[in-house]
Amino acid sequence: MTKYLYLTLLSLFCAGFSVAQEKKPADYVNTLQGTDSEPALSYGNTYPTVGLPFGIHFFSPQTGKNGDGWKYQYKATTIRGFQQTHQCSPWMNDYAVFSLMPVAGKLVVDEDDRALAFKHTNEVAKPHYYKVDFDNGIRAELSPAERGAHMKFTFPADQDAQVVLDGFLKNCDITILPTAKKIVGWVDNGRFVPKNFRNYFVISFDQAFTGYGTWENRKNTIVPARSFAMGPGAGAFVRFRKGAVVQVKVSSSYISLEQAQLNLERELGKAAKFEDTRDSAETVWNNLLGRIEVQGGSEQEKATFYSCLFRANLYSRKFYDLDKNSKPVYYSPYDGKVHQGYMYTDNGFWDTFRAQFPLSNLLHPQMQGRHMKALLAAQEESGWMPTWSNPGMSGVMLGNHAISLLADAWAKGIRDFDAGKALAAYYHEATNKGPLGGSNGREGWKEYFTLGYIAHPEVPEATAKTLEYAYDDFCAWNLARMSGNKFYESVFARQMYNYRQVFDTETGFVRGRKMNGEWQENFDPVEWGGPFAEGNAWQYTWSVFHDIQGLKELMGGNEKFLARLDSFFTRASDFKVGTYGKEIHEMKEMVLAGMGQYAHGNQPVQHVAYLYNYAGQPWKTQERVRKIMDQLYNATEKGFPGDEDQGQMSSWYVLSALGLYSVSPGTDQYVIGSPVFQKASIRLENGKTFTVDAQNNSKENVYIESAVLNGKEHTRNWLSYEEIMNGGTLELKMSASPNTTRGTAPADQPFSLTLAR
C-alpha cells in the first residue's frame, strides 16, 4: 500500500512538473528573427521589437547610429541605446524617436563612445521582454505597455550609475524634475509628419537623483546641474548611487504632455515593480498567440509559426490615445489636428493587402472595422486615401490598395464604414494625381481610362501600375456591386479588365506598351525595372489576382498556363539588372532562394504557388507551398527570404501554415494549400473555433488525399470566410503521393472574374 501510494504521488508530481514545463506560445517567439540584414541583403530587415499587439509605441535595442534605418543588426557587437521606435521599414526610417542608455563609471554621452559590448548568448529577445547583460556588468531589461515601456537597469556595485537620454535627430525639449524624479519633454523627428508634430514623453524613475544635467548630440557638450534644454539633439543625463537598480517608466503621446502623464498612470501606474509589467505583457501575448493552437510539427516549426504570428500582429500601429473619459482621441498625422475616434498608421498597403489584412480579418474583425473607418477619416483629413503612412502620407510604392482593404472587409461582413464614401474617395484617387509618390493618386490616369493602360516609358513602372490599377478597380467594382451602388459599379466595370491591354499574346508575358500601342522593344522577361517595380515580366505576368481564368485564356488555355507556371518555378534564377543599373537585394534574394524566377522575398509573386488550384492541379500547390515554408522560413536571425514588410511576409507564412491563403482580397475566399501541422485550431473573436485537422501530416505527407468539411466531402480548392467564421472542422487526410483526381473539376476552382460574371 505504501509503495502504491508512493508511485501514485510520484506520477502526479511528474505530470505536474511536465505541465509546468510546457511551453507557452510566447516562449517560442524569437524577436531576433530576420535581424541579420543589411541594405544589400535582407533576411527580414527586422529589429527585436518590444511591444504589445498593434501598440502605439515599440522599443528596441539600438546597434546602429542615430538615423540608421538598420537600427539593430545581428552582426553588431555593441548597443548604444534603447529606443522608442515606430519604424515599419528601414527604407522608410523612423520617427518620434528618443533613446535611453545606462552608463557606468565616467559619464559618456557620445553615441559611439557610450556603446557597450555584448554577446547574443547574454540576450533574451521575446515580445514582452528583452534583456541583455553587457560585458561591463550592466544589465538592461525592457517590457512594454501599449503607450510606453518599463525598463530596469542594474549597475555594477562599485561604479557610478547614470542614464543618458538622447534626443535623436531633430529638435528635443527637455525638462528635468529632480524632486519628482522625472524627465519630461518632446521630440519632433520624422520625415512624413506635419509641421506641428510632437511626441510628448514622461520618463519616471524610482530612484532619487544624485546628479543631473543636459547635453546635445551635435558636439556632445555637457552642462552639469542644468535642468532645461531645447534645440537640435538636446539630451539629458541623471545620476544615481553606485550599484543602483533603477526602474524607469516611459510613456508618450502625440497630443500633449498631460495625455502622456495620463497614459503613464493608466498603463504603468499599478506596476509596483518591473516584473509586474513584464508578466502583464506576457499574458497579453500568450492570450493572442494562443488563439491559434498548433499540434504536431517540430519545435522549429512551432518557433517559426509563433515568431511569424507575433510579427503579423504588430502593424498597422494604433495611433490614438484614450482621454480622461476613456474615449478614443488622436492627433492626425495628416492635418495636424486633434480628432475624436480611432486612427491607425505605419503600413504599406502594396505589401500588406495580400495577406496581413486577410489574416487580421479572421483574427480581429472588430479592430478591422475601426481601421476601415480610420482610412476614410484619413482621406477626409488629407484629401487622399492612405497607401503607405509613416505616420503621415508618403505616397511610396504603387497602386491604390486602400480600396482592396475596404472591399475585403465588406466582402467578409465587416461593414462599419460608409461604402458610398469609400467609393467616392476611391474615384477621386483614380481620377487625379496626388502631390506625392507613385501611390498617391494615379500618374497617367487619363491614358489609363482612354487607352486602357499606362504608357511606357512616359510613366515609371507603367505596366506594373496598369496591373495594380486593374485589380484595384475590380475591388471598387465588387464593393459597389455588394453595396448596391449601380453608378460606381458601371464606372469600374470596364477598367477591371485593363490587365488584358498589357498582355502580349505573342510572347506570353505582360510587357511595356507605348503610347501608340506598340510594344517595348528589346524585350527580355528576366530584365528588371523599366515598366515593372522591383521585378520583371516573369513575376508580374501573374498579377491578375481577380481573374486567373482570364489570364489562362490570354496564355492560350489551361495546358499552356500550367506549362508556364511549371517553368516559372524550375527555370534558371537569372536576371538582368535593367533600369536599376545594379543588383538590388531582391534580385540576390531570388537567386539564393533557388526556385526559378519565384522571388518570394518580394510581394508580386507571393500568390503564385497557389495558382495551380485554378488549373486542375491542386497537388502542385500543395507541394510548392510546403517547400517554400520549409526552405525559406525559420525562426533565426536569417528567418525570412527578404523584407518582412509590416507583417506581410509573416502573415503569408501563418496563413499558409494553416493551409489557407487569400489570392484575391476583395472576395470572401481563402484558397487551400497544405498545412504544416497535424492540427491547428483558431479561436475566433465570435467565440467559435475553426480547426484544420490534417491526419498523417508530416514533411513527406504534403498532399491532400481527401477533405471533409463538417462531415461533408469537400472537393473545392477554397473556403469562404463565412465557413471559417462559423467554426467547425476541416478534416484532411494527408499522403506522400498526390491525388490527381481531387479538386480538378471546374467547379472546384476559386473565384475568377471571367467565370463569375
Side-chain angles (χ1 to χ4, degrees):
M1 188 69 179
T2 304
K3 182 179 179 181
Y4 176 80
L5 181 60
Y6 170 80
L7 291 174
T8 300
L9 291 172
L10 180 62
S11 65
L12 289 172
F13 172 81
C14 290
F17 182 81
S18 176
V19 170
Q21 294 299 305
E22 185 178 346
K23 281 188 175 181
K24 296 179 180 179
D27 296 331
Y28 284 105
V29 178
N30 176 22
T31 65
L32 297 179
Q33 182 190 29
T35 57
D36 190 8
S37 299
E38 57 189 27
L41 179 60
S42 173
Y43 284 106
N45 271 336
T46 60
Y47 52 88
T49 308
V50 182
L52 292 185
F54 310 104
I56 289 80
H57 311 293
F58 297 149
F59 289 78
S60 173
Q62 174 194 356
T63 65
K65 293 180 73 69
N66 287 354
D68 185 351
W70 284 259
K71 63 175 65 268
Y72 180 101
Q73 290 181 296
Y74 192 82
K75 64 185 178 183
T77 59
T78 62
I79 289 172
R80 66 187 65 217
F82 297 93
Q83 290 185 346
Q84 177 179 267
T85 175
H86 309 89
Q87 183 170 289
C88 59
S89 167
W91 307 104
M92 299 291 283
N93 217 291
D94 212 339
Y95 66 90
V97 187
F98 58 86
S99 69
L100 296 174
M101 184 64 187
V103 175
K106 180 183 177 182
L107 176 64
V108 181
V109 294
D110 177 83
E111 63 169 316
D112 292 323
D113 295 340
R114 72 177 187 242
L116 297 179
F118 76 106
K119 300 178 180 64
H120 293 299
T121 53
N122 293 325
E123 265 184 313
V124 175
K126 298 295 177 184
H128 60 282
Y129 179 57
Y130 177 87
K131 183 192 77 169
V132 60
D133 289 330
F134 290 108
D135 292 358
N136 75 342
I138 293 178
R139 170 174 289 183
E141 299 171 88
L142 285 73
S143 283
E146 194 161 70
R147 294 169 178 81
H150 204 151
M151 303 184 187
K152 183 178 179 181
F153 301 125
T154 303
F155 292 89
D158 58 346
Q159 297 186 49
D160 286 336
Q162 294 140 138
V163 174
V164 172
L165 166 65
D166 193 326
F168 212 61
L169 296 179
K170 291 174 70 175
N171 292 311
C172 183
D173 182 289
I174 295 284
T175 300
I176 303 171
L177 304 171
T179 303
K181 298 180 290 189
K182 287 182 179 179
I183 304 175
V184 299
W186 53 261
V187 292
D188 65 359
N189 51 76
R191 293 170 62 191
F192 306 105
V193 295
K195 290 182 179 179
N196 67 343
F197 174 78
R198 289 180 177 180
N199 178 49
Y200 299 91
F201 58 79
V202 176
I203 304 172
S204 177
F205 300 85
D206 74 333
Q207 303 278 315
F209 305 159
T210 62
Y212 59 86
T214 64
W215 69 289
E216 49 76 35
N217 63 21
R218 300 307 192 262
K219 297 182 180 180
N220 297 311
T221 303
I222 298 173
V223 184
R226 189 168 72 174
S227 61
F228 174 79
M230 191 275 180
F237 68 90
V238 289
R239 184 175 291 115
F240 307 92
R241 60 177 175 78
K242 292 183 178 181
V245 178
V246 181
Q247 295 194 51
V248 189
K249 295 179 180 179
V250 182
S251 187
S252 297
S253 170
Y254 300 112
I255 295 174
S256 67
L257 196 59
E258 291 74 20
Q259 182 67 50
Q261 178 64 37
L262 177 60
N263 293 344
L264 183 77
E265 294 168 358
R266 181 180 283 150
E267 297 185 4
L268 292 162
K270 294 181 180 179
K273 54 185 179 179
F274 172 84
E275 290 73 18
D276 295 336
T277 303
R278 181 196 64 194
D279 294 347
S280 176
E282 183 179 18
T283 298
V284 170
W285 275 113
N286 278 324
N287 286 342
L288 173 53
L289 299 174
R291 288 182 57 193
I292 304 182
E293 181 184 357
V294 297
Q295 300 175 37
S298 67
E299 290 295 284
Q300 291 81 4
E301 286 168 334
K302 290 177 182 177
T304 303
F305 180 82
Y306 283 114
S307 294
C308 286
L309 185 57
F310 157 69
R311 292 211 170 271
N313 285 279
L314 294 178
Y315 303 99
S316 298
R317 184 194 307 282
K318 297 173 184 175
F319 204 78
Y320 61 88
D321 286 329
L322 300 175
D323 66 16
K324 61 183 179 180
N325 298 315
S326 297
K327 300 293 184 181
V329 59
Y330 65 91
Y331 164 88
S332 171
Y334 304 105
D335 67 6
K337 299 177 182 178
V338 175
H339 301 268
Q340 299 293 320
Y342 297 97
M343 182 53 63
Y344 299 82
T345 188
D346 292 336
N347 203 315
F349 300 153
W350 183 81
D351 303 291
T352 55
F353 83 85
R354 306 162 196 266
Q356 199 266 338
F357 279 90
L359 175 61
S360 282
N361 283 336
L362 286 174
L363 296 179
H364 311 292
Q366 182 186 59
M367 182 186 74
Q368 291 295 85
R370 293 170 176 173
H371 196 160
M372 297 308 103
K373 291 179 69 174
L375 289 181
L376 299 183
Q379 196 274 342
E380 292 177 359
E381 292 156 19
S382 68
W384 303 93
M385 297 181 84
T387 50
W388 192 334
S389 299
N390 189 50
M393 197 77 70
S394 74
V396 170
M397 296 310 295
L398 59 154
N400 308 122
H401 296 312
I403 192 63
S404 172
L405 275 55
L406 291 158
D408 197 49
W410 195 275
K412 291 163 181 170
I414 301 169
R415 301 180 176 181
D416 304 57
F417 61 95
D418 187 321
K421 286 185 178 180
L423 289 164
Y426 177 70
Y427 180 77
H428 173 265
E429 203 81 16
T431 55
N432 289 278
K433 175 65 188 84
L436 299 173
S439 62
N440 187 222
R442 287 183 176 178
E443 191 173 6
W445 67 269
K446 292 181 181 179
E447 290 75 21
Y448 176 80
F449 276 103
T450 55
L451 298 175
Y453 62 92
I454 308 292
H456 171 78
E458 283 80 2
V459 175
E461 304 166 336
T463 303
K465 287 175 179 173
T466 300
L467 295 168
E468 309 258 353
Y469 295 160
Y471 162 71
D472 288 334
D473 286 348
F474 158 75
C475 290
W477 172 84
N478 204 29
L479 177 58
R481 184 188 63 81
M482 291 185 292
S483 60
N485 192 315
K486 297 296 182 182
F487 174 74
Y488 283 116
E489 184 179 350
S490 65
V491 166
F492 295 108
R494 177 173 65 91
Q495 283 78 10
M496 61 186 173
Y497 291 105
N498 277 355
Y499 69 88
R500 297 170 176 171
Q501 306 303 321
V502 291
F503 188 92
D504 176 17
T505 55
E506 184 175 336
T507 63
F509 290 98
V510 295
R511 60 188 290 193
R513 195 169 188 182
K514 299 179 182 179
M515 189 77 74
N516 63 7
E518 295 178 357
W519 296 110
Q520 164 198 3
E521 300 95 343
N522 303 316
F523 172 69
D524 190 333
V526 303
E527 184 174 320
W528 286 51
F532 303 108
E534 298 179 2
N536 61 25
W538 265 109
Q539 290 139 20
Y540 265 96
T541 294
W542 313 102
S543 289
V544 188
F545 315 102
H546 59 297
D547 198 11
I548 302 303
Q549 179 64 29
L551 179 62
K552 285 196 300 183
E553 293 175 4
L554 287 175
M555 285 188 174
N558 214 54
E559 295 308 312
K560 289 185 177 179
F561 176 86
L562 286 168
R564 176 59 58 84
L565 200 51
D566 287 340
S567 297
F568 177 68
F569 287 101
T570 58
R571 61 156 288 133
S573 300
D574 55 335
F575 63 87
K576 292 183 178 178
V577 298
T579 54
Y580 287 102
K582 63 179 182 179
E583 181 183 80
I584 61 175
H585 74 92
E586 289 90 350
M587 300 171 189
K588 185 179 294 184
E589 290 146 15
M590 178 188 72
V591 174
L592 289 173
M595 296 183 180
Q597 290 293 309
Y598 182 73
H600 189 82
N602 212 21
Q603 277 65 32
V605 303
Q606 289 180 359
H607 67 297
V608 180
Y610 286 90
L611 299 188
Y612 289 103
N613 282 313
Y614 295 73
Q617 293 186 349
W619 63 90
K620 288 187 178 177
T621 283
Q622 295 153 24
E623 177 186 4
R624 294 284 181 205
V625 296
R626 288 290 285 272
K627 184 177 181 180
I628 294 165
M629 287 187 281
D630 187 51
Q631 294 186 12
L632 302 187
Y633 284 83
N634 59 67
T636 76
E637 63 276 5
K638 294 186 177 182
F640 298 103
D643 285 353
E644 203 283 327
D645 286 326
Q646 305 97 57
Q648 165 60 24
M649 190 82 78
S650 292
S651 297
W652 186 98
Y653 184 90
V654 170
L655 282 171
S656 295
L658 296 173
L660 305 169
Y661 191 69
S662 183
V663 170
S664 184
T667 72
D668 70 342
Q669 293 185 5
Y670 292 82
V671 180
I672 295 174
S674 176
V676 167
F677 301 98
Q678 292 174 9
K679 182 179 284 189
S681 297
I682 311 170
R683 185 160 44 87
L684 301 164
E685 200 173 78
N686 61 13
K688 298 179 181 180
T689 298
F690 182 78
T691 299
V692 179
D693 185 358
Q695 300 165 16
N696 303 319
N697 201 5
S698 68
K699 284 187 178 294
E700 295 74 31
N701 296 352
V702 302
Y703 301 105
I704 297 174
E705 177 66 27
S706 63
V708 174
L709 178 63
N710 296 329
K712 295 182 180 179
E713 183 183 9
H714 187 83
T715 62
R716 283 187 278 116
N717 297 318
W718 55 275
L719 295 172
S720 71
Y721 180 80
E722 184 178 20
E723 286 172 327
I724 298 171
M725 296 302 287
N726 283 340
T729 301
L730 176 66
E731 297 178 52
L732 305 175
K733 288 187 178 179
M734 309 300 292
S735 172
S737 301
N739 182 344
T740 58
T741 60
R742 185 199 162 274
T744 59
D748 296 327
Q749 294 180 23
F751 173 87
S752 280
L753 182 60
T754 294
L755 296 175
R757 292 195 76 190

